[in-house]
């Protein structure tokens, strides 16, 4: 009940988006660093524009007490932007309601601390989902790199939790302005979601679910 109440409160605050406008990205952004790469390939001069972003971690979380996978839902301006016309200026939030920017994701975070990746993963599970899990319970899955225009390195972990590890409702770090819903889905619900015609999720979630279904059959029957 506490989780549901918090999710309702966060959803209301999450969708309280006003006075949105699209403008130029400053060159001194702390989050992304755009560059243009010039090179020669097979005797031909080429250019490629790249945006380097922070490296990150994501965690597949399975609650063995509830037999459910644990995800997070957030308002993502970048995802919301995919629905907008490509122009600068104010955004009509009646025509483009903030609900269009909600995504379902794995618990995740950027690597911005001088700590082992598993400890950063632990912090994110605690802050976003409210579970206190020991480092030894985290299983390293894979490290991959996003390619094309946006580039970064991403590491995926898996952890099993229980209701006894749930120390608070989660919701993200309030000091950082995070507004995060905690979403629990049963295995049938997860399968139905990834078989939808279109999902509001990044590829990392799809890979994480696919890995879980392939490697944890004892939890999928």
């Amino acid at each position: 009940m506490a989780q549901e109440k918090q999710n309702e409160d966060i959803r209301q605050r999450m969708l309280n988006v006003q006075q949105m406008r699209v403008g130029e990205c400053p060159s001194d952004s702390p989050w992304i660093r755009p560059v243009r790469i010039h090179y020669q390939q097979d005797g031909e001069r080429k250019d490629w524009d790249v945006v380097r972003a922070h490296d990150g971690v994501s965690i597949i979380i399975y609650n063995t007490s509830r037999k459910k996978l644990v995800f997070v839902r957030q308002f993502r301006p970048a995802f919301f932007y995919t629905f907008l016309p490509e122009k600068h200026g104010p955004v009509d939030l009646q025509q483009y309601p903030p609900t269009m920017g909600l995504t379902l994701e794995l618990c995740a975070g950027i690597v911005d601390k001088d700590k082992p990746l598993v400890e950063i993963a632990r912090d994110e599970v605690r802050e976003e989902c409210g579970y206190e899990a020991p480092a030894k319970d985290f299983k390293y899955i894979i490290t991959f790199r996003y390619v094309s225009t946006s580039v970064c390195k991403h590491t995926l972990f898996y952890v099993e939790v229980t209701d006894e590890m749930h120390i608070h409702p989660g919701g993200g770090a309030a000091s950082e302005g995070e507004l995060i819903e905690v979403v629990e889905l049963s295995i049938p619900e997860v399968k139905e979601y990834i078989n939808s015609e279109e999902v509001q999720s990044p590829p990392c979630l799809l890979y994480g679910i696919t890995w879980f279904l392939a490697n944890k059959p004892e939890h999928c029957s």
Side-chain angles (χ1 to χ4, degrees):
M1 291 178 64
Q3 187 71 71
E4 290 177 3
K5 185 176 185 304
Q6 173 161 301
N7 277 353
E8 289 176 7
D9 176 66
I10 286 178
R11 174 67 69 93
Q12 184 176 4
R13 295 168 61 198
M14 191 187 299
L15 296 178
N16 185 22
V17 178
Q18 302 176 31
Q19 300 179 10
M20 178 181 284
R21 62 179 294 109
V22 177
E24 295 285 349
C25 182
S27 60
D28 61 348
S29 168
W31 310 112
I32 59 172
R33 297 179 297 284
V35 298
R36 173 165 289 183
I37 301 173
H38 308 277
Y39 63 105
Q40 182 171 312
Q41 185 180 47
D42 192 29
E44 181 182 352
R45 294 295 303 172
K46 296 183 178 181
D47 301 314
W48 194 273
D49 292 339
V50 173
V51 176
R52 181 180 290 278
H54 278 286
D55 294 342
V57 297
S58 291
I59 309 96
I60 308 162
I61 306 171
Y62 181 71
N63 185 319
T64 58
S65 301
R66 300 174 183 270
K67 295 180 171 52
K68 291 186 176 182
L69 285 161
V70 183
F71 304 100
V72 297
R73 180 177 284 121
Q74 302 184 67
F75 172 79
R76 293 294 199 183
F79 181 74
F80 182 67
Y81 182 64
T82 65
F83 296 97
L84 303 181
E86 195 169 334
K87 64 179 182 179
H88 292 176
V91 176
D92 184 346
L93 295 174
Q94 295 297 319
Q95 183 177 358
Y96 304 99
T99 50
M100 298 173 73
L102 295 182
T103 62
L104 184 71
E105 306 176 21
L106 297 177
C107 173
I110 62 174
V111 178
D112 59 351
K113 305 178 185 70
D114 186 19
K115 301 171 66 172
L117 293 181
V118 69
E119 291 298 333
I120 294 177
R122 284 188 69 204
D123 290 346
E124 296 300 334
V125 170
R126 183 190 312 111
E127 290 175 5
E128 294 190 357
C129 301
Y131 290 97
E132 185 67 78
K136 65 178 179 61
D137 288 358
F138 284 74
K139 174 182 173 60
Y140 168 83
I141 303 301
I142 196 172
T143 296
F144 58 92
R145 285 171 169 80
Y146 285 95
V147 296
S148 187
T149 302
S150 180
V151 295
C152 65
K153 183 171 69 174
H154 209 85
T155 300
L156 184 63
F157 291 93
Y158 171 71
V159 66
E160 293 183 1
V161 298
T162 65
D163 282 350
E164 288 69 31
M165 295 179 182
H166 199 236
I167 58 174
H168 67 85
S175 61
E176 299 175 11
E178 291 185 324
L179 293 169
I180 298 173
E181 288 184 44
V182 180
V183 180
E184 297 181 344
L185 296 180
S186 66
I187 303 307
E189 288 172 328
V190 164
K191 290 180 178 179
E192 181 180 2
Y193 179 72
I194 64 172
N195 284 309
S196 303
E197 185 173 333
E198 183 173 339
V199 297
Q200 293 185 272
S201 299
C204 187
L205 175 135
L206 300 177
Y207 177 83
I209 291 176
T210 302
W211 178 90
F212 177 85
L213 296 175
N215 291 275
K216 296 294 175 179
E218 67 273 21
H219 297 316
C220 301
S221 56

Coordinates of all heavy atoms in Angstrom, one line a residue, residues 30-97:
P30 N 27.1 19.3 -19.0 CA 27.8 18.3 -18.1 C 27.4 16.8 -18.5 O 28.0 15.9 -17.9 CB 27.3 18.7 -16.7 CG 25.9 19.2 -16.9 CD 26.0 20.0 -18.2
W31 N 26.4 16.6 -19.3 CA 25.9 15.3 -19.6 C 26.3 14.7 -20.9 O 26.5 13.5 -21.0 CB 24.3 15.3 -19.5 CG 23.8 16.0 -18.3 CD1 23.1 17.2 -18.3 CD2 23.9 15.6 -17.0 NE1 22.8 17.5 -17.0 CE2 23.3 16.5 -16.1 CE3 24.5 14.5 -16.4 CZ2 23.3 16.4 -14.8 CZ3 24.5 14.4 -15.0 CH2 23.9 15.3 -14.2
I32 N 26.4 15.6 -21.9 CA 26.8 15.1 -23.2 C 27.9 16.0 -23.9 O 28.0 17.2 -23.5 CB 25.6 15.0 -24.2 CG1 25.0 16.4 -24.4 CG2 24.6 14.0 -23.7 CD1 23.9 16.4 -25.5
R33 N 28.8 15.3 -24.7 CA 29.8 16.1 -25.3 C 29.8 15.8 -26.8 O 30.3 14.7 -27.3 CB 31.2 15.7 -24.7 CG 31.2 16.1 -23.2 CD 32.5 15.7 -22.6 NE 32.8 14.3 -22.6 CZ 32.2 13.4 -21.7 NH1 31.3 13.9 -20.9 NH2 32.5 12.1 -21.8
P34 N 29.3 16.6 -27.7 CA 29.2 16.4 -29.1 C 30.5 16.7 -29.8 O 31.2 17.7 -29.5 CB 28.1 17.3 -29.6 CG 28.1 18.4 -28.6 CD 28.5 17.9 -27.3
V35 N 30.9 15.9 -30.8 CA 32.1 16.1 -31.6 C 31.8 15.7 -33.0 O 30.8 14.9 -33.3 CB 33.3 15.3 -31.1 CG1 33.7 15.7 -29.7 CG2 33.1 13.8 -31.1
R36 N 32.6 16.1 -34.0 CA 32.5 15.6 -35.3 C 33.8 14.9 -35.7 O 34.9 15.5 -35.5 CB 32.3 16.8 -36.3 CG 32.4 16.4 -37.8 CD 31.8 17.4 -38.7 NE 30.3 17.4 -38.6 CZ 29.5 18.2 -39.3 NH1 30.0 19.0 -40.2 NH2 28.2 18.2 -39.1
I37 N 33.8 13.7 -36.1 CA 34.9 12.9 -36.4 C 35.2 13.0 -37.9 O 34.3 12.7 -38.7 CB 34.7 11.4 -36.0 CG1 34.5 11.3 -34.5 CG2 35.9 10.6 -36.4 CD1 34.2 10.0 -34.0
H38 N 36.4 13.4 -38.3 CA 36.8 13.4 -39.7 C 37.7 12.3 -40.0 O 38.7 12.0 -39.2 CB 37.5 14.7 -40.0 CG 36.7 16.0 -39.6 ND1 35.7 16.5 -40.3 CD2 36.8 16.7 -38.4 CE1 35.2 17.6 -39.7 NE2 35.9 17.7 -38.5
Y39 N 37.5 11.5 -41.0 CA 38.4 10.4 -41.3 C 38.3 10.1 -42.8 O 37.5 10.6 -43.6 CB 38.0 9.2 -40.5 CG 36.6 8.6 -40.8 CD1 36.5 7.4 -41.5 CD2 35.5 9.2 -40.2 CE1 35.2 6.9 -41.7 CE2 34.2 8.7 -40.5 CZ 34.1 7.5 -41.2 OH 32.9 7.0 -41.4
Q40 N 39.3 9.2 -43.2 CA 39.3 8.8 -44.6 C 39.2 7.3 -44.6 O 39.8 6.6 -43.9 CB 40.7 9.2 -45.3 CG 40.7 8.8 -46.8 CD 42.0 9.3 -47.4 OE1 42.2 10.5 -47.3 NE2 42.7 8.5 -48.1
Q41 N 38.2 6.8 -45.5 CA 38.0 5.3 -45.6 C 37.9 5.0 -47.0 O 37.1 5.5 -47.8 CB 36.7 5.0 -44.8 CG 36.4 3.5 -44.8 CD 35.0 3.3 -44.1 OE1 34.0 3.9 -44.3 NE2 35.1 2.3 -43.2
D42 N 38.7 4.0 -47.4 CA 38.7 3.5 -48.8 C 39.0 4.7 -49.8 O 38.3 4.7 -50.8 CB 37.5 2.8 -49.1 CG 37.5 2.0 -50.4 OD1 38.7 1.6 -50.8 OD2 36.5 1.8 -51.0
G43 N 39.8 5.6 -49.3 CA 40.2 6.7 -50.2 C 39.2 7.8 -50.2 O 39.4 8.8 -50.9
E44 N 38.1 7.7 -49.4 CA 37.0 8.7 -49.4 C 37.0 9.5 -48.1 O 37.0 8.8 -47.0 CB 35.7 8.1 -49.7 CG 34.5 9.1 -49.8 CD 33.2 8.4 -50.0 OE1 33.2 7.2 -50.3 OE2 32.2 9.1 -49.9
R45 N 36.9 10.8 -48.1 CA 36.8 11.6 -46.9 C 35.4 11.5 -46.4 O 34.4 11.6 -47.1 CB 37.2 13.1 -47.2 CG 38.6 13.3 -47.6 CD 39.6 13.0 -46.5 NE 39.3 13.8 -45.3 CZ 39.9 13.6 -44.1 NH1 40.8 12.7 -44.0 NH2 39.6 14.4 -43.1
K46 N 35.3 11.3 -45.1 CA 34.0 11.1 -44.4 C 33.9 11.9 -43.1 O 35.0 12.2 -42.5 CB 33.7 9.6 -44.2 CG 33.6 8.8 -45.4 CD 33.2 7.4 -45.1 CE 33.0 6.5 -46.4 NZ 32.6 5.1 -46.1
D47 N 32.7 12.2 -42.7 CA 32.5 12.9 -41.4 C 31.4 12.1 -40.6 O 30.5 11.4 -41.3 CB 32.0 14.3 -41.6 CG 33.0 15.1 -42.3 OD1 34.2 15.1 -42.0 OD2 32.5 15.9 -43.2
W48 N 31.5 12.1 -39.3 CA 30.5 11.4 -38.5 C 30.3 12.2 -37.2 O 31.3 12.4 -36.5 CB 30.9 10.0 -38.2 CG 29.8 9.1 -37.6 CD1 29.4 9.0 -36.3 CD2 28.9 8.3 -38.4 NE1 28.3 8.2 -36.2 CE2 28.0 7.7 -37.5 CE3 28.8 8.1 -39.8 CZ2 27.0 6.9 -37.9 CZ3 27.8 7.2 -40.2 CH2 26.9 6.6 -39.2
D49 N 29.1 12.6 -36.9 CA 28.8 13.3 -35.7 C 28.5 12.4 -34.6 O 27.7 11.5 -34.7 CB 27.7 14.3 -35.9 CG 28.0 15.4 -36.9 OD1 29.2 15.7 -37.0 OD2 27.1 16.0 -37.4
V50 N 29.1 12.6 -33.4 CA 29.0 11.7 -32.3 C 28.7 12.5 -31.0 O 29.2 13.6 -30.8 CB 30.3 10.9 -32.1 CG1 30.3 10.1 -30.8 CG2 30.5 10.0 -33.3
V51 N 27.9 11.9 -30.2 CA 27.6 12.5 -28.8 C 28.1 11.5 -27.8 O 27.5 10.4 -27.7 CB 26.1 12.8 -28.6 CG1 25.9 13.4 -27.2 CG2 25.7 13.9 -29.6
R52 N 29.1 11.9 -27.0 CA 29.6 11.0 -25.9 C 28.8 11.3 -24.7 O 28.6 12.4 -24.3 CB 31.0 11.2 -25.7 CG 31.6 10.2 -24.5 CD 33.0 10.4 -24.3 NE 33.9 9.9 -25.4 CZ 34.2 8.7 -25.5 NH1 33.8 7.7 -24.7 NH2 35.0 8.3 -26.5
A53 N 28.2 10.2 -24.1 CA 27.4 10.4 -22.9 C 28.1 9.6 -21.7 O 29.1 8.9 -22.0 CB 26.0 9.8 -23.1
H54 N 27.6 9.8 -20.5 CA 28.1 9.1 -19.4 C 28.0 7.6 -19.5 O 26.9 7.1 -20.1 CB 27.4 9.5 -18.1 CG 27.9 10.8 -17.5 ND1 29.1 10.8 -16.8 CD2 27.4 12.0 -17.4 CE1 29.3 12.1 -16.4 NE2 28.2 12.8 -16.8
D55 N 28.9 6.8 -19.1 CA 28.8 5.3 -19.0 C 27.7 5.0 -18.0 O 27.4 5.9 -17.1 CB 30.1 4.7 -18.6 CG 31.1 4.8 -19.7 OD1 30.8 5.1 -20.8 OD2 32.3 4.6 -19.4
G56 N 27.1 3.8 -18.0 CA 26.1 3.5 -17.1 C 26.0 2.1 -16.7 O 26.7 1.2 -17.2
V57 N 25.1 1.8 -15.7 CA 24.8 0.4 -15.3 C 23.3 0.2 -15.3 O 22.6 1.2 -15.0 CB 25.4 0.1 -13.9 CG1 26.9 0.2 -13.8 CG2 24.8 1.1 -12.8
S58 N 22.9 -1.0 -15.5 CA 21.5 -1.3 -15.4 C 21.4 -2.7 -14.7 O 22.3 -3.5 -14.7 CB 20.8 -1.5 -16.8 OG 20.7 -0.3 -17.5
I59 N 20.2 -2.9 -14.0 CA 20.1 -4.1 -13.2 C 18.7 -4.7 -13.4 O 17.7 -4.1 -13.3 CB 20.2 -3.7 -11.7 CG1 21.5 -2.9 -11.4 CG2 20.2 -5.0 -10.8 CD1 21.2 -1.4 -11.4
I60 N 18.8 -6.0 -13.8 CA 17.6 -6.9 -13.9 C 17.3 -7.3 -12.4 O 18.1 -7.9 -11.8 CB 17.8 -8.1 -14.7 CG1 18.4 -7.7 -16.1 CG2 16.6 -8.9 -14.9 CD1 19.1 -8.9 -16.8
I61 N 16.2 -7.0 -11.9 CA 15.8 -7.3 -10.5 C 14.6 -8.2 -10.5 O 13.6 -7.9 -11.1 CB 15.4 -6.0 -9.7 CG1 16.5 -4.9 -9.8 CG2 15.1 -6.3 -8.3 CD1 16.1 -3.6 -9.3
Y62 N 14.8 -9.3 -9.8 CA 13.7 -10.3 -9.7 C 13.4 -10.5 -8.2 O 14.3 -10.9 -7.4 CB 14.1 -11.7 -10.3 CG 12.9 -12.7 -10.2 CD1 11.8 -12.5 -11.0 CD2 13.0 -13.8 -9.3 CE1 10.8 -13.4 -10.9 CE2 12.0 -14.7 -9.2 CZ 10.9 -14.5 -10.0 OH 9.8 -15.4 -9.9
N63 N 12.2 -10.2 -7.8 CA 11.7 -10.4 -6.4 C 11.2 -11.9 -6.3 O 10.2 -12.2 -6.8 CB 10.6 -9.4 -6.1 CG 10.2 -9.5 -4.6 OD1 10.1 -10.6 -4.0 ND2 10.0 -8.3 -4.0
T64 N 12.0 -12.7 -5.6 CA 11.6 -14.1 -5.4 C 10.4 -14.3 -4.5 O 9.7 -15.3 -4.6 CB 12.8 -14.9 -4.9 OG1 13.2 -14.4 -3.6 CG2 14.0 -14.9 -5.9
S65 N 10.2 -13.3 -3.6 CA 9.0 -13.4 -2.7 C 7.7 -13.2 -3.5 O 6.7 -14.0 -3.3 CB 9.1 -12.4 -1.6 OG 10.2 -12.5 -0.8
R66 N 7.7 -12.3 -4.4 CA 6.5 -11.9 -5.2 C 6.5 -12.6 -6.5 O 5.5 -12.5 -7.2 CB 6.4 -10.4 -5.4 CG 6.3 -9.6 -4.1 CD 6.4 -8.1 -4.4 NE 6.4 -7.4 -3.1 CZ 5.3 -7.0 -2.5 NH1 4.1 -7.2 -3.1 NH2 5.4 -6.3 -1.4
K67 N 7.6 -13.2 -6.9 CA 7.8 -13.8 -8.2 C 7.5 -12.8 -9.4 O 6.7 -13.1 -10.3 CB 6.9 -15.1 -8.4 CG 7.3 -16.2 -7.4 CD 6.4 -17.4 -7.6 CE 6.9 -18.6 -6.8 NZ 7.2 -18.3 -5.4
K68 N 8.1 -11.6 -9.2 CA 7.9 -10.6 -10.2 C 9.2 -9.9 -10.5 O 10.1 -9.8 -9.6 CB 6.9 -9.5 -9.6 CG 5.5 -10.0 -9.6 CD 4.5 -8.9 -9.2 CE 3.1 -9.4 -9.2 NZ 2.1 -8.3 -8.9
L69 N 9.3 -9.4 -11.7 CA 10.5 -8.5 -12.1 C 10.1 -7.1 -11.7 O 9.0 -6.7 -11.8 CB 10.7 -8.6 -13.6 CG 11.4 -9.9 -14.1 CD1 11.2 -10.1 -15.5 CD2 12.9 -9.9 -13.7
V70 N 11.2 -6.4 -11.3 CA 11.0 -5.0 -10.8 C 11.6 -4.0 -11.8 O 12.8 -4.2 -12.1 CB 11.7 -4.9 -9.4 CG1 11.4 -3.5 -8.8 CG2 11.1 -5.9 -8.4
F71 N 10.8 -3.1 -12.2 CA 11.2 -2.1 -13.1 C 11.0 -0.7 -12.6 O 10.5 -0.5 -11.5 CB 10.5 -2.2 -14.5 CG 10.6 -3.6 -15.1 CD1 9.6 -4.5 -15.0 CD2 11.7 -3.9 -15.8 CE1 9.6 -5.8 -15.5 CE2 11.8 -5.2 -16.4 CZ 10.8 -6.1 -16.2
V72 N 11.4 0.3 -13.3 CA 11.1 1.7 -12.9 C 10.4 2.4 -14.1 O 10.6 2.1 -15.3 CB 12.3 2.5 -12.5 CG1 13.0 1.9 -11.3 CG2 13.4 2.5 -13.6
R73 N 9.6 3.4 -13.8 CA 8.9 4.2 -14.8 C 9.3 5.7 -14.5 O 9.2 6.2 -13.4 CB 7.4 4.0 -14.8 CG 6.7 4.9 -15.9 CD 5.2 4.6 -15.9 NE 4.9 3.4 -16.5 CZ 4.3 2.3 -15.9 NH1 3.9 2.5 -14.7 NH2 4.0 1.2 -16.6
Q74 N 9.7 6.4 -15.6 CA 10.1 7.8 -15.5 C 9.6 8.6 -16.6 O 9.2 8.1 -17.7 CB 11.6 7.9 -15.4 CG 12.3 7.2 -14.3 CD 13.8 7.4 -14.3 OE1 14.2 8.5 -14.0 NE2 14.6 6.4 -14.6
F75 N 9.5 9.9 -16.4 CA 9.3 10.9 -17.6 C 10.7 11.2 -18.1 O 11.6 11.7 -17.5 CB 8.6 12.1 -17.1 CG 8.6 13.2 -18.2 CD1 7.6 13.1 -19.1 CD2 9.5 14.2 -18.2 CE1 7.5 14.1 -20.2 CE2 9.4 15.2 -19.2 CZ 8.4 15.1 -20.2
R76 N 10.9 10.8 -19.4 CA 12.1 11.1 -20.1 C 12.0 12.1 -21.2 O 11.4 11.9 -22.2 CB 12.6 9.7 -20.7 CG 13.0 8.7 -19.7 CD 14.2 9.1 -18.9 NE 14.8 7.9 -18.3 CZ 15.9 8.0 -17.5 NH1 16.4 9.2 -17.2 NH2 16.4 6.9 -17.0
P77 N 12.5 13.3 -21.0 CA 12.4 14.4 -22.0 C 13.0 13.9 -23.4 O 12.4 14.3 -24.4 CB 13.3 15.5 -21.4 CG 13.3 15.3 -19.9 CD 13.2 13.8 -19.8
A78 N 14.0 13.1 -23.4 CA 14.6 12.7 -24.7 C 13.6 11.8 -25.4 O 13.4 11.9 -26.6 CB 15.9 11.9 -24.4
F79 N 12.9 10.9 -24.7 CA 11.9 10.0 -25.3 C 10.7 10.9 -25.8 O 10.2 10.7 -26.9 CB 11.5 9.0 -24.3 CG 10.5 8.0 -24.9 CD1 10.8 7.0 -25.8 CD2 9.1 8.1 -24.5 CE1 9.9 6.1 -26.3 CE2 8.2 7.2 -25.0 CZ 8.6 6.2 -25.9
F80 N 10.3 11.8 -24.9 CA 9.2 12.7 -25.2 C 9.5 13.5 -26.5 O 8.6 13.7 -27.4 CB 9.0 13.7 -24.1 CG 7.9 14.6 -24.2 CD1 6.5 14.1 -24.3 CD2 8.1 16.0 -24.3 CE1 5.5 15.0 -24.4 CE2 7.0 16.9 -24.5 CZ 5.7 16.4 -24.5
Y81 N 10.8 13.9 -26.7 CA 11.2 14.7 -27.9 C 11.0 13.9 -29.2 O 10.8 14.5 -30.2 CB 12.7 15.1 -27.7 CG 13.2 15.9 -28.8 CD1 12.7 17.2 -29.0 CD2 14.2 15.5 -29.6 CE1 13.2 18.0 -30.0 CE2 14.7 16.3 -30.7 CZ 14.2 17.6 -30.9 OH 14.7 18.3 -31.9
T82 N 11.0 12.6 -29.1 CA 10.8 11.8 -30.4 C 9.4 12.0 -30.9 O 9.2 11.7 -32.1 CB 11.0 10.3 -30.1 OG1 10.1 9.8 -29.2 CG2 12.4 10.0 -29.6
F83 N 8.5 12.5 -30.1 CA 7.1 12.7 -30.6 C 6.9 14.1 -31.1 O 5.8 14.4 -31.7 CB 6.1 12.4 -29.5 CG 6.1 11.0 -29.0 CD1 6.8 10.6 -27.9 CD2 5.3 10.0 -29.7 CE1 6.7 9.3 -27.5 CE2 5.3 8.7 -29.3 CZ 6.0 8.3 -28.2
L84 N 7.9 15.0 -30.9 CA 7.7 16.4 -31.1 C 8.2 16.8 -32.5 O 9.1 16.1 -33.1 CB 8.5 17.3 -30.1 CG 8.1 17.1 -28.6 CD1 9.0 18.0 -27.8 CD2 6.7 17.3 -28.4
P85 N 7.6 17.8 -33.1 CA 8.1 18.3 -34.4 C 9.6 18.8 -34.2 O 9.9 19.4 -33.1 CB 7.2 19.4 -34.8 CG 6.5 19.9 -33.5 CD 6.5 18.6 -32.7
E86 N 10.4 18.7 -35.2 CA 11.8 19.1 -35.1 C 12.0 20.6 -35.3 O 12.4 21.1 -36.4 CB 12.7 18.3 -36.1 CG 14.1 18.4 -35.8 CD 14.9 17.4 -36.6 OE1 14.3 16.4 -37.1 OE2 16.1 17.7 -36.8
K87 N 11.7 21.3 -34.2 CA 11.8 22.8 -34.3 C 12.0 23.3 -32.9 O 11.7 22.6 -31.9 CB 10.6 23.4 -34.9 CG 9.3 23.2 -34.1 CD 8.1 23.9 -34.8 CE 6.8 23.8 -33.9 NZ 5.7 24.5 -34.5
H88 N 12.6 24.5 -32.8 CA 12.9 25.1 -31.5 C 11.6 25.9 -31.1 O 10.9 26.4 -31.9 CB 14.1 26.0 -31.5 CG 15.4 25.2 -31.7 ND1 16.6 25.8 -31.8 CD2 15.6 23.9 -31.7 CE1 17.5 24.9 -32.0 NE2 16.9 23.7 -31.9
G89 N 11.5 26.2 -29.8 CA 10.4 27.0 -29.3 C 9.5 26.3 -28.3 O 9.8 25.2 -27.9
P90 N 8.5 26.9 -27.9 CA 7.6 26.3 -26.9 C 6.9 25.1 -27.4 O 6.7 24.9 -28.5 CB 6.5 27.4 -26.6 CG 7.2 28.7 -27.1 CD 8.0 28.3 -28.3
V91 N 6.6 24.2 -26.4 CA 5.9 22.9 -26.7 C 4.5 23.0 -26.3 O 4.2 23.4 -25.1 CB 6.6 21.7 -26.0 CG1 5.9 20.4 -26.3 CG2 8.1 21.6 -26.5
D92 N 3.6 22.6 -27.2 CA 2.1 22.6 -26.9 C 1.8 21.3 -26.1 O 1.7 20.2 -26.6 CB 1.3 22.6 -28.1 CG -0.2 22.7 -27.9 OD1 -0.6 22.5 -26.7 OD2 -0.9 23.0 -28.8
L93 N 1.7 21.5 -24.7 CA 1.5 20.3 -23.9 C 0.1 19.8 -23.9 O -0.2 18.8 -23.2 CB 2.0 20.7 -22.4 CG 3.5 20.9 -22.3 CD1 3.8 21.4 -20.9 CD2 4.3 19.7 -22.7
Q94 N -0.8 20.5 -24.6 CA -2.1 20.0 -24.8 C -2.1 19.0 -25.9 O -2.7 17.9 -25.9 CB -3.1 21.1 -25.1 CG -3.3 22.1 -23.9 CD -3.9 21.4 -22.7 OE1 -4.8 20.6 -22.8 NE2 -3.4 21.7 -21.5
Q95 N -1.4 19.4 -27.0 CA -1.3 18.5 -28.2 C -0.4 17.4 -27.9 O -0.6 16.3 -28.4 CB -0.8 19.3 -29.4 CG -0.7 18.5 -30.6 CD -0.3 19.3 -31.8 OE1 0.0 20.6 -31.7 NE2 -0.1 18.7 -33.0
Y96 N 0.7 17.6 -27.1 CA 1.7 16.6 -26.8 C 1.7 16.4 -25.2 O 2.6 17.0 -24.6 CB 3.1 17.0 -27.3 CG 3.1 17.2 -28.8 CD1 3.1 18.5 -29.3 CD2 3.1 16.2 -29.7 CE1 3.1 18.8 -30.6 CE2 3.2 16.4 -31.0 CZ 3.1 17.7 -31.5 OH 3.2 17.9 -32.9
P97 N 0.8 15.7 -24.6 CA 0.7 15.6 -23.2 C 2.0 14.8 -22.6 O 2.5 14.0 -23.3 CB -0.5 14.8 -22.9 CG -0.8 14.0 -24.2 CD -0.3 14.9 -25.3

